[in-house]
Amino acid sequence: MFQLRTEAFIDASPDAVWAVLCDFKAYPLWNPLMLEAHGRVEVGARVAMKARSPDGSGRMFGFRATLTRVEPPTRLEWTGGVPGLMFGRHGFELRPEGAGTRLVHGEDFSGVVTWFMGKPRRDAFRAAYEVMNRALAERVRAVSSPA
């Protein structure tokens, strides 16, 4: 098993961050990791996703995720993959912090593929998640700013 956690501060309310995070239709406009997401934001929903491999290879792949936690405006979580081979539980936690939001973004990976994920690959995954965190913050700022 491989656990990945990243954190970032976003200078906006959890509600503002939640609105961007759950606007799946807009993912192609800002999200460098999750390129597309099609489906409803509700527990049990199956969401068709297209992602860029976080390992830095540039490969893209599609999968169907199942939303397992939807707790506005604090938690969003989905699972996907092939149990036993490569399976992930991807999650976002939004905590109020001052006038902004502390984002905790990560994933728990399991399966035999994780046995071969050395430090360089794990570091590449961390970097990709941090890039997504920054892109989320930039998108929140852009949609929250007066025109």
Side-chain angles (χ1 to χ4, degrees):
M1 185 161 177
F2 163 47
Q3 293 183 319
L4 172 63
R5 294 292 179 275
T6 62
E7 288 193 30
F9 178 79
I10 300 176
D11 193 17
S13 71
D15 287 318
V17 178
W18 180 262
V20 170
L21 196 56
C22 292
D23 184 4
F24 289 162
K25 289 179 184 174
Y27 273 26
L29 300 174
W30 67 268
N31 197 326
L33 185 59
M34 310 307 293
L35 305 173
E36 295 179 16
H38 304 281
R40 294 179 322 279
V41 181
E42 61 186 45
V43 171
R46 299 276 292 159
V47 178
M49 298 190 145
K50 183 175 181 183
R52 183 178 323 277
S53 180
D55 67 4
S57 68
R59 288 180 305 208
M60 291 183 250
F61 60 95
F63 66 98
R64 292 191 77 71
T66 301
L67 295 183
T68 54
R69 280 181 94 169
V70 178
E71 301 171 7
T74 59
R75 288 194 185 264
L76 178 65
E77 181 180 279
W78 61 70
T79 60
V82 180
L85 185 61
M86 177 69 151
F87 189 78
R89 179 174 302 280
H90 196 124
F92 305 87
E93 181 180 356
L94 309 176
R95 299 180 198 150
E97 184 175 302
T101 301
R102 173 63 50 185
L103 166 68
V104 179
H105 172 203
E107 190 156 0
D108 296 337
F109 298 93
S110 61
V112 296
V113 172
T114 63
W115 301 347
F116 305 102
M117 292 178 72
K119 184 172 177 3
R121 182 170 247 190
R122 291 177 186 212
D123 288 348
F125 270 67
R126 175 173 300 287
Y129 281 52
E130 289 172 347
V131 166
M132 182 178 162
N133 295 349
R134 287 190 296 274
L136 174 60
E138 290 170 16
R139 178 69 178 175
V140 170
R141 187 171 31 257
V143 299
S144 300
S145 299

